[in-house]
Amino acid sequence: MQQNEDYVLKVLQDVGLVSRKQIDAARKRLNGQDKVLDVLIKDGLVSESDVSRSIAAQAHMDWIDLSAMIIPPDIIKQIRAEDARRFKVIPVSFGETGLVVAVSDPLDIDTIDSLSFLLQRELELVCSSPEKIREALIKYYGTADEAADIIQEKIGEDVDLGLEIGDGAAIAEADEGDAPIIRLVSMLIIEAHRAGASDIHLEPLDKKFRVRFRIDGVLQEMQSPPKRLQSAIVSRLKIMTGSMSIAEKRLPQDGRIQVKIKKKPLDLRVSTIPTNHGESVVMRLLDKSSLTLGLPELGFLSDDQETFERLIQLPDGIVLVTGPTGSGKTSTLYACLNYVNKPDRKIITVEEPIEYQMTGINQVQVNSEIGMTFPAALRSILRQAPNIIMIGEIRDLETASIATNASLTGHLVFSTLHTNDAPSAVARLIDIGVQPFLVASSLRAIMAQRLVRRICPHCRQPAELSETEMRALRIESGQLQDAQVMQGKGCEQCRGTGYKGRMGIFEIFVLDDEVRHMINKRSSTLNLRQRARELGMRTLREDGIRKVLNGLTTAEEVISITIGDVS
């Protein structure tokens, strides 16, 4: 109220915290929304604590520092969370005549009377600053607005967020009571994007709703929302997908969310699964800007890049990318498609799900529920006369057979397979049921890959390899003469980890006539690997060593990622 503000300004002037000249100057700068007090606080002439202390002294009330207190749970329970947030009060203790309650504005008689009437009891008032009240609210009750404020402080105020559901339509207006949840979810997404996270994990624990971001392949725990907001946050995410049921909490569900951050599109693939403490949610962030990555950005050194560029421009055959889940196979395939995407070529992909939507490419979504399986889609797209086919993953004999036949009839096929190294892909295809002579005839090359963290460019500094690391990587002292071994010191840019971003390490196996003859004879993986080494194939660890000596990653990363590679 204006009357209250005038009174407060007079009190501040009387105690000497501000002058009449400062008040008049602040009043001239009002923009129609701020109050004079707000301007004075923003200018640093007075603090919220100064204001509340002065008012408390004038009203002959005690002033307390809530941050220095531990309030027992039985006291907190005296006022419901929604009432404490609405009236901006905190119960402190039991007094002689009633409940002791901390307020930030003792002059707001209407609010105090309303709270007393609601609780049906006498209140004893003490004063604290609005800032201390806000901190106590999230500490003892937890509010979505306050949780969002904490995240907002980290990412700054210059946020332009527009949320859209799958079909591009704007999300309907929410009830006023839902606004804090909407803001909290929006802030989580923004912070994950700013941090360069690939996934957001929302995990219900016994007494906590844990939030973790996967940044450069490593999970990092973030500020967790209050446990009591768990159900509301999960429901909000389901609503944003436009396809998931908020009533179904017993079965896994999948959906997709489209958002825009500063006008840039970002897709989120959402998955929920029921656990013993509620629904666990994982969101994969799919940044469309990563589609513009070229082959050098994937981590290829010049000689491997030249080899791989030659392979993906072959007129026919199968080029496989192998590795475990999370090794960057899909990103590599999209980079390949981006490289070969020319107006004179027709490219069709079969994916489950479609992770990125690419201009100029026909992408087919697999949907097993309606019979749109990998084999069914492949049989149909061959009648579309494509030049290049990308299959998300070869999982069964029928898919493998169609891919093989397509490659033998003049199509270039890109696909992925789950094997630990490149030569093992041959045995995997034969185990699936593909005849060895078809494998030998169709395969052109196999590339195994892993992801290692890049050294942060902002805090990188020269380093030395320890004797243990040199033994583990089998590096001779002579190899260090022209090396540029680096490490990250840790800075704000990399959140103190010393790493920022990831890159691939690769094992490229190009088949020749002798290798095809060995496949026909069902030679062992060990023999195929020996022949690949004779043809010049570097193992994953050897490629990693090259990148350590070039100052791109660390020995620790390469050792941990290639722990099974002892060749």
Side-chain angles (χ1 to χ4, degrees), residues 453-497:
R453 290 183 290 176
R454 291 180 184 266
I455 296 172
C456 175
H458 303 283
C459 62
R460 67 197 302 261
Q461 59 184 20
E464 292 184 0
L465 295 176
S466 67
E467 291 185 9
T468 303
E469 290 172 334
M470 291 182 65
R471 274 199 309 271
L473 295 177
R474 298 180 183 176
I475 296 176
E476 302 295 336
S477 56
Q479 295 177 259
L480 299 177
Q481 291 180 359
D482 298 322
Q484 295 179 324
V485 180
M486 296 284 180
Q487 68 179 10
K489 182 179 179 181
C491 63
E492 290 185 2
Q493 297 289 333
C494 61
R495 296 174 173 260
T497 63

Side-chain angles (χ1 to χ4, degrees), residues 278-316:
E279 289 182 280
S280 174
V281 182
V282 175
M283 291 183 284
R284 170 68 57 87
L285 278 67
L286 306 171
D287 188 352
K288 292 184 178 180
S289 63
S290 65
L291 290 179
T292 59
L293 291 179
L295 296 179
E297 285 77 13
L298 294 177
F300 285 109
L301 295 180
S302 57
D303 52 350
D304 282 345
Q305 181 180 332
E306 183 180 342
T307 299
F308 196 65
E309 285 179 356
R310 177 176 56 81
L311 292 171
I312 62 177
Q313 294 187 83
L314 293 172
D316 55 35

Side-chain angles (χ1 to χ4, degrees), residues 9 18 22-23 26 36-46:
L9 292 173
V18 294
Q22 290 170 326
I23 293 174
V36 176
L37 268 176
D38 295 332
V39 177
L40 292 173
I41 292 172
K42 285 181 181 178
D43 289 347
L45 298 174
V46 67

Side-chain angles (χ1 to χ4, degrees), residues 39-257:
V39 177
L40 292 173
I41 292 172
K42 285 181 181 178
D43 289 347
L45 298 174
V46 67
S47 67
E48 288 186 344
S49 294
D50 292 333
V51 175
S52 61
R53 284 177 186 272
S54 301
I55 297 172
Q58 191 71 21
H60 304 290
M61 290 173 54
D62 291 333
W63 190 93
I64 62 172
D65 184 355
L66 287 171
S67 63
M69 302 176 61
I70 298 177
I71 304 174
D74 61 321
I75 299 296
I76 292 296
K77 290 178 182 177
Q78 300 302 311
I79 299 181
R80 295 186 308 169
E82 52 267 37
D83 294 330
R85 291 196 299 272
R86 179 152 58 104
F87 293 108
K88 296 182 175 61
V89 299
I90 295 290
V92 175
S93 62
F94 292 117
E96 295 180 1
T97 60
L99 182 66
V100 180
V101 176
V103 299
S104 60
D105 186 3
L107 303 177
D108 191 354
I109 305 300
D110 292 340
T111 295
I112 295 168
D113 288 344
S114 298
L115 179 62
S116 179
F117 177 78
L118 179 68
L119 298 177
Q120 291 295 295
R121 65 196 305 174
E122 292 293 325
L123 300 178
E124 295 182 26
L125 302 181
V126 293
C127 194
S128 190
S129 69
E131 179 185 8
K132 302 296 183 183
I133 296 281
R134 287 195 297 269
E135 291 175 356
L137 281 172
I138 191 171
K139 178 179 179 180
Y140 294 108
Y141 294 108
T143 70
D145 252 343
E146 294 294 337
D149 283 340
I150 289 176
I151 301 173
Q152 180 111 30
E153 288 177 7
K154 296 180 181 178
I155 63 178
E157 299 294 333
D158 58 333
V159 174
D160 177 16
L161 176 71
L163 294 176
E164 298 178 353
I165 54 178
D167 60 0
I171 292 178
E173 290 292 327
D175 294 335
E176 186 176 348
D178 295 332
I181 296 295
I182 294 173
R183 183 165 172 258
L184 173 56
V185 171
S186 299
M187 290 299 109
L188 280 173
I189 295 172
I190 295 171
E191 171 64 0
H193 181 259
R194 290 281 185 94
S198 60
D199 302 271
I200 303 173
H201 292 251
L202 305 176
E203 302 163 317
L205 307 178
D206 184 18
K207 297 180 180 179
K208 184 179 181 180
F209 189 43
R210 183 169 66 179
V211 175
R212 295 192 291 176
F213 294 167
R214 189 178 295 279
I215 302 174
D216 296 335
V218 179
L219 283 171
Q220 299 183 22
E221 190 161 350
M222 313 304 291
Q223 177 73 34
S224 296
K227 173 73 173 175
R228 57 179 297 277
L229 299 178
Q230 173 180 313
S231 178
I233 291 172
V234 174
S235 295
R236 172 60 185 166
L237 289 169
K238 288 182 176 180
I239 290 171
M240 289 171 68
T241 67
S243 61
M244 299 170 71
S245 170
I246 62 173
E248 181 56 75
K249 300 180 180 180
R250 301 164 300 170
L251 296 173
Q253 296 188 67
D254 294 293
R256 199 180 190 103
I257 300 172

